[in-house]
């Protein structure tokens, strides 16, 4: 790990003042702006308007009008696709600026933030391609007198609510697909990391997205987010964040029966058999646990190791984890950056203390790191964790790896499934049957085999059970933002109840 003082890049740095985007106009909020203190540097780096319920309602009204009066929903797929492709090019052109904002506001390493921007550009291009391929079905099999056509229509106004852990990447998993379908949108980024989403607003306007189609309202969840989940003019809510707020979102949306799409928490196991390529696994275990400081819904936070290899493998993971470079997020060689807020750091610490009291062994780390500025946590390993401990069942959202053990394949599957979450899982074995058995029996939206946390724009992503509802990415992602409409057409003379036959 590296101690640091205020880095050179921030010596003459002035906090950036942002405005929010409502109906094509950049707007100040009424009250005091929200100040974002960089978690890795301890200084104010951004100020966003503290949007109000009234701002959210104005944005919803603008999105409603833009949907009902057009032109966005009635443009051709090719026209929308071209605008999304232009947006992708502009994102790529401003990638360094966007990555810098995500880095200083969230505390993630700059090299990682740049990688996420590359992934986001690919998603925008993929969504642009899907905009031209959105289609329904036709039934020419219903007899000479009937032709059935099933249309796909944009669902309408979509509220998009995003968290702080992948600020630009997560909005990019939702917004381009909603826009590709012809929807209009209101976006609320996390109050901690709104900068890159607001720059995205500039990009979309420059790319040619009409006023009102994209509105971005900054502020807190209860003030701005809540009305976006209850307002009768909103047709769908797409939310990523905690399972608790996801549950509240669903309950709020139920009042007007809106469609909801939820990407929530995870407690993702990696199940490891003795015949696995252990060198490859150990690297993936360290990556899975400490990437993004573990503040990751997909984090591989639970290892389920075969008892015959558990002690040796845990020691080797600890050796590698000691080499992970924790430090200044702006240093291009940093692998693990800062923890999002001091409160969150305290929550992670409480999980570690609770596990130790319950009988787990702190095999590595376990405490905060003082690097001079900001808040950091040492990569931590807890061994001897039992499936009933809180740290084995709940999302810690920090660099904390829990190690559990198993004897039989059935036991491994039972432990993997014995939690409320089902986002993702990994299995490590050179045996084809073992991998497929685990792949079919573990209840999670993604199963990695002999790899971990890989992804592609083409592959759907989402969770079973309390990890969420619906899937993002993949070729059906645009369809999520549509309604189906049946056109039932009669051909020729119609006979019926009172018509002569
Ligand atoms: P939240 O679920 O609180 O926040 C996610 C988004 O929802 C933010 O934009 C937040 O606004 C907004 N929000 C909060 N309350 C409401 C509400 N009543 N109605 C509508 N929107 C609301 O997650 P946190 O960011 O606070 O993180 C807490 C925990 O959630 C983490 O420790 C982790 O366990 C989990 N998490 C999971 C993520 C995932 O990817 N699955 C991502 C982030 C967190 P605001 O700006 O006020 O925060």
């Amino acid at each position: 790990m590296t101690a640091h003082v205020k880095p050179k890049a921030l010596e003459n740095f002035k906090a950036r003042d942002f405005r929010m985007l409502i109906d094509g106009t950049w707007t100040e909020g009424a009250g005091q702006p929200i100040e974002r203190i960089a978690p890795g540097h301890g200084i104010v780096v951004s100020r966003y308007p503290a949007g109000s319920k009234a701002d959210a309602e104005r944005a919803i009204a603008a999105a409603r009008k833009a949907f009902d009066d057009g032109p966005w929903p009635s443009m051709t797929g090719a026209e929308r696709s071209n605008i999304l492709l232009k947006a992708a090019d502009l994102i790529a052109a401003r990638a360094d600026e966007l990555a810098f904002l995500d880095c200083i506001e969230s505390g993630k390493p700059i090299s990682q933030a740049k990688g996420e921007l590359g992934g986001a550009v690919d998603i925008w291009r993929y969504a642009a391609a899907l905009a031209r391929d959105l289609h329904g079905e036709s039934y020419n099999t219903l007899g000479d007198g009937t032709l059935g056509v099933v249309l796909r229509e944009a669902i309408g106004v979509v509220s998009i609510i995003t968290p702080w852990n992948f600020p630009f990447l997560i909005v990019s998993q939702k917004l381009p697909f909603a826009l590709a379908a012809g929807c209009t949108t209101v976006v609320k980024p996390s109050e901690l990391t709104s900068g890159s989403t607001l720059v995205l607003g500039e990009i979309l306007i420059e790319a040619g997205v009409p006023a009102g189609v994209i509105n971005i309202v900054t502020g807190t969840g209860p003030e701005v987010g809540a009305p976006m989940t209850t307002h009768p003019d909103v047709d769908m809510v797409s939310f990523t964040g905690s399972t608790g707020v996801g549950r509240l979102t669903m309950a709020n949306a139920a009042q007007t029966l809106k469609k909801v799409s939820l990407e929530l928490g995870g407690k993702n196991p990696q199940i490891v058999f003795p015949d696995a390529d252990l060198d490859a696994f150990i690297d993936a275990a360290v990556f899975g646990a400490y990437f993004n400081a573990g503040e990751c819904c997909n984090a591989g936070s639970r290892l389920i190791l075969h008892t015959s290899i558990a002690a040796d493998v845990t020691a080797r993971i600890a050796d590698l984890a000691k080499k992970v470079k924790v430090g200044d997020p702006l240093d291009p060689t940093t692998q693990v950056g800062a923890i999002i807020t001091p409160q969150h750091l305290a929550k992670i610490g409480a999980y570690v203390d609770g596990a130790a009291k319950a009988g787990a062994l702190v095999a590595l780390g376990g405490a905060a790191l003082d690097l001079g500025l900001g808040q950091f946590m040492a990569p931590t390993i807890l061994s001897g964790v039992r499936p009933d401990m809180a740290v084995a069942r709940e999302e810690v959202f920090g660099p904390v790896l829990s190690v559990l053990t198993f004897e039989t394949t059935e036991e491994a599957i039972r432990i993997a499934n014995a939690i409320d979450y089902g986002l993702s899982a990994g299995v490590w074995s050179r045996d084809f049957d073992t991998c497929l058995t685990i792949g079919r029996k573990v209840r999670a939206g993604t199963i990695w085999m002999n790899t971990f946390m890989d992804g592609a724009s083409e592959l759907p992503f989402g969770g079973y059970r309390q990890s969420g509802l619906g899937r993002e990415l993949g070729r059906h992602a645009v369809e999520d933002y549509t309604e189906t409409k049946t056109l039932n057409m009669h051909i020729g003379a119609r006979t019926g109840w009172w018509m002569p036959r």
Side-chain angles (χ1 to χ4, degrees):
M1 63 213 62
T2 49
H4 69 278
V5 291
K6 192 170 164 182
K8 251 194 159 13
L10 293 180
E11 256 167 21
N12 299 312
F13 179 83
K14 282 206 30 216
R16 188 161 166 178
D17 290 293
F18 289 93
R19 289 177 298 171
M20 52 191 174
L21 178 63
I22 300 178
D23 204 9
T25 303
W26 291 98
T27 322
E28 314 275 352
Q32 281 294 311
I34 293 170
E35 290 197 323
R36 178 61 182 145
I37 296 176
H41 307 102
I43 59 167
V44 175
V45 283
S46 304
R47 290 186 204 93
Y48 330 111
S52 62
K53 183 175 180 218
D55 292 321
E57 287 170 350
R58 279 196 304 125
I60 292 166
R64 186 78 257 164
K65 188 164 183 313
F67 186 79
D68 293 345
D69 300 352
W72 187 252
S74 47
M75 279 183 181
T76 65
E79 287 168 326
R80 283 198 295 269
S81 177
N82 286 337
I83 290 173
L84 295 177
L85 286 172
K86 185 154 184 220
D89 289 345
L90 292 169
I91 294 166
R94 293 179 73 173
D96 283 353
E97 174 193 359
L98 291 161
F100 176 79
L101 285 168
D102 275 4
C103 166
I104 53 172
E105 292 180 2
S106 77
K108 69 174 69 227
I110 186 69
S111 49
Q112 182 195 315
K114 286 182 182 173
E116 287 169 24
L117 259 295
V121 169
D122 188 67
I123 299 174
W124 281 83
R125 294 205 169 117
Y126 181 65
L130 294 179
R132 303 185 69 151
D133 194 40
L134 179 61
H135 58 82
E137 300 159 2
S138 64
Y139 288 86
N140 198 24
T141 52
L142 307 176
D144 285 347
T146 304
L147 178 63
V149 173
V150 183
L151 300 181
R152 286 268 174 196
E153 288 185 349
I155 196 168
V157 175
V158 181
S159 288
I160 293 177
I161 300 175
T162 58
W164 44 259
N165 53 341
F166 294 94
F168 199 85
L169 195 58
I170 288 178
V171 74
S172 298
Q173 289 180 190
K174 301 173 184 294
L175 185 56
F177 298 99
L179 294 176
C183 294
T184 61
T185 58
V186 180
V187 179
K188 192 206 94 64
S190 164
E191 65 184 282
L192 303 173
T193 55
S194 303
S196 61
T197 303
L198 291 165
V199 172
L200 177 61
E202 292 174 16
I203 287 171
L204 293 175
I205 300 293
E206 188 183 341
V209 174
V213 173
I214 163 80
N215 302 272
I216 303 167
V217 186
T218 50
T220 67
E223 185 69 27
V224 174
M228 289 169 60
T229 63
T230 54
H231 199 290
D233 281 346
V234 172
D235 299 292
M236 175 174 170
V237 183
S238 177
F239 171 89
T240 296
S242 62
T243 293
V245 179
R247 210 175 278 128
L248 177 66
T249 296
M250 197 167 170
N252 282 344
Q255 303 306 309
T256 47
L257 289 174
K258 299 181 200 316
K259 184 172 179 178
V260 277
S261 162
L262 303 171
E263 296 300 338
L264 309 175
K267 190 77 201 177
N268 314 296
Q270 296 212 61
I271 302 172
V272 190
F273 289 83
D275 69 337
D277 175 347
L278 293 177
D279 290 340
F281 161 69
I282 284 159
D283 182 80
V286 172
F287 169 64
Y290 306 128
F291 172 75
N292 212 45
E295 295 170 332
C296 193
C297 54
N298 254 339
S301 51
R302 270 197 306 161
L303 298 186
I304 307 178
L305 307 180
H306 191 266
T307 43
S308 65
I309 55 169
D312 175 53
V313 163
T314 306
R316 289 173 64 191
I317 292 171
D319 285 345
L320 191 60
K322 281 179 205 153
K323 296 185 186 147
V324 169
K325 192 168 170 194
V326 185
D328 178 5
L330 282 167
D331 178 340
T333 63
T334 291
Q335 291 170 295
V336 172
I339 300 297
I340 191 76
T341 58
Q343 296 79 2
H344 191 57
L345 179 66
K347 181 178 148 192
I348 298 168
Y351 267 112
V352 174
D353 294 347
K357 277 198 193 103
L361 178 75
V362 182
L364 183 75
L369 291 174
D370 182 1
L371 299 185
L373 287 170
Q375 60 275 341
F376 296 82
M377 173 86 192
T380 296
I381 299 176
L382 300 172
S383 60
V385 173
R386 294 188 314 271
D388 61 311
M389 290 181 185
V391 80
R393 313 177 65 80
E394 296 170 19
E395 194 175 43
V396 175
F397 232 58
V400 178
L401 183 61
S402 293
V403 181
L404 297 90
T405 55
F406 73 95
E407 292 277 359
T408 64
T409 304
E410 293 67 36
E411 189 189 6
I413 294 166
R414 206 168 44 246
I415 295 171
N417 286 336
I419 54 161
D420 294 333
Y421 293 117
L423 191 57
S424 58
V427 53
W428 292 82
S429 167
R430 287 192 171 96
D431 186 285
F432 187 70
D433 294 350
T434 303
C435 286
L436 286 187
T437 301
I438 298 287
R440 294 174 77 172
K441 297 282 182 195
V442 171
R443 290 172 54 73
T446 298
I447 311 284
W448 286 290
M449 296 183 183
N450 297 315
T451 186
F452 201 73
M453 234 166 10
D454 283 343
S457 303
E458 288 82 349
L459 296 177
F461 169 67
Y464 279 43
R465 293 177 288 164
Q466 295 190 32
S467 287
L469 269 185
R471 296 291 179 269
E472 298 190 326
L473 304 176
R475 58 192 284 267
H476 297 295
V478 177
E479 289 175 8
D480 245 22
Y481 295 95
T482 65
E483 280 280 16
T484 49
K485 179 182 278 175
T486 299
L487 299 185
N488 189 328
M489 296 175 273
H490 184 75
I491 302 163
R494 182 176 180 274
T495 55
W497 267 18
W498 303 107
M499 308 280 282
R501 292 182 187 259

